[in-house]
Amino acid sequence: TMFILWNDTDGIPAWPEPFKTERDALKFARAFRARYAQQGYYLTADGQRLDPKEVILVPRPAEP
């Protein structure tokens, strides 16, 4: 089963391509948050600044 990483905060995929494993998706989620931690915030689709730790990223099985 392939997995997508869903950005529940914005209601969109966090990355356009599926991951081979859930573990790979979670690894990407850590890197995703770290990237935004460097700039100090994550800007949501509706313009809110959040602490990157608050961004909800959920691995989900990819649909065939």
Side-chain angles (χ1 to χ4, degrees):
T1 301
M2 301 284 280
F3 288 85
I4 62 165
L5 186 63
W6 188 255
N7 179 336
D8 221 22
T9 301
D10 283 324
I12 59 172
W15 187 252
E17 300 296 323
F19 297 90
K20 290 184 180 181
T21 66
E22 184 176 9
R23 184 177 179 172
D24 288 343
L26 291 171
K27 183 178 176 182
F28 181 86
R30 285 190 298 277
F32 180 97
R33 288 186 181 100
R35 207 170 42 240
Y36 288 100
Q38 287 180 338
Q39 75 180 22
Y41 63 92
Y42 173 81
L43 190 63
T44 65
D46 62 358
Q48 296 178 2
R49 286 186 182 203
L50 296 179
D51 183 315
K53 295 176 194 169
E54 296 178 28
V55 179
I56 302 168
L57 301 170
V58 183
R60 294 184 179 173
E63 295 184 15

